Amino acid sequence: MGSESAVRPRQRAQHLGPQRRRPQVLDTALTLAVSEGLSAVTMASIADRMRVTRPVVYACFADRVQLIDALRRREENYLIHDLLATLPGRDLGTDETAVVTSFRTLLQLTAARPESWRFLAETPDPVISEEFGRGRRIAVNRCTALLRGSMLGWGTTAADRKLPVLVDQWLAAGEGAVQTLMAGNADWTPEDLGDFVGGQVFRMLRDA
C-alpha cells in the first residue's frame, strides 16, 4: 500500500502527453549534462529528476540516442539563432552603437539561457564541439563581411591582411564576455558588460 502511494505522483504526470512533455525532458537533460556531464543523461536519471516513471520519458523519445540527438539539435538551433540575432545588420559606421548593441544582445541572450551556452561550449563531446564550431563559423563569415565593408569606408591600410586577425579578436572578445558573465564574479550586468566590451572592441577595430 505504501509503495503504491509512493509511485502515484509519478503516474499523474502522464496526462500532459508526449508533445507537451518533450521540452521538459530536454530541459532536464540539458541541466543534467551541464551539471554532471553528458554521461549522466540517461532515461532513468531524467525520470528520477522529473519525478515521473520511465515510460513517460520513453513516450517522448525512443531511446537515449534519440534524446541526446534532439538535445544537440535544439541547442545548436538556439545558438545559431542567437548568434545571428546579435550580429550587426549593417556596416559598423563611425560610432560604436552597432557593436555595443551586438554585445549587449549577446550577453542578454546568454543570461536568459546560460545552460545552453555551457552545454555547447564546455561539453567535451566531439559532435557537440563541431556544432559549436559550426555556429562560430557562421559568425566569422558574417563578421568578415561586415568588417570588410567598414574598413573600406574607414580607409584602413592593409585591410585584407588585418581583417582575419580583427575578426578573430572580435569573436574572442565576445566569447570572453560570455565567460565573464557566466562566472558571475565581477558583478557585471549584461548591459554594463556589453557597453564596456562593445566599446573597446569598436575602438580596436576602428583604430587598426
Side-chain angles (χ1 to χ4, degrees), residues 4 23 26 66 81 88 90 100 126 129 133 136 141 148 158 174 186:
E4 288 179 7
L26 293 177
Q66 186 184 89
H81 174 272
R90 55 178 175 80
V100 167
S129 296
R136 196 179 194 279
N141 292 338
R148 178 179 284 112

Side-chain angles (χ1 to χ4, degrees), residues 4-156:
E4 288 179 7
S5 62
V7 300
R8 196 170 297 136
R10 296 175 173 237
Q11 296 290 345
R12 284 201 295 266
Q14 290 183 328
H15 77 278
L16 289 178
Q19 286 297 108
R20 293 177 60 190
R21 181 67 68 181
R22 282 191 192 103
Q24 297 177 0
V25 171
L26 293 177
D27 288 344
T28 303
L30 177 62
T31 299
L32 283 167
V34 170
S35 62
E36 301 179 30
L38 198 59
S39 61
V41 180
T42 66
M43 308 302 265
S45 65
I46 290 170
D48 287 344
R49 181 66 65 94
M50 295 179 66
R51 299 186 62 80
V52 299
T53 58
R54 294 188 196 183
V56 172
V57 181
Y58 279 105
C60 299
F61 299 98
D63 52 35
R64 180 180 183 272
V65 172
Q66 186 184 89
L67 186 151
I68 296 295
D69 183 60
L71 178 63
R72 281 196 295 241
R73 284 187 283 107
R74 188 186 76 163
E75 300 310 311
E76 182 192 20
N77 287 337
Y78 280 154
L79 174 67
I80 292 173
H81 174 272
D82 286 357
L83 285 174
L84 292 177
T86 64
L87 295 174
R90 55 178 175 80
D91 289 350
L92 305 184
T94 57
D95 67 70
E96 61 192 51
T97 302
V99 176
V100 167
T101 299
S102 172
F103 274 83
R104 273 179 161 243
T105 304
L106 171 67
L107 295 171
Q108 287 165 347
L109 290 169
T110 300
R113 211 162 36 233
E115 288 187 335
S116 295
W117 288 85
R118 286 196 174 97
F119 176 69
L120 290 168
E122 300 175 7
T123 302
D125 179 278
V127 176
I128 294 172
S129 296
E130 172 57 27
E131 288 168 350
F132 183 78
R134 192 163 81 88
R136 196 179 194 279
R137 287 191 294 274
I138 290 172
V140 166
N141 292 338
R142 176 71 70 86
C143 289
T144 298
L146 288 168
L147 190 53
R148 178 179 284 112
S150 299
M151 293 173 78
L152 290 174
W154 296 335
T156 306

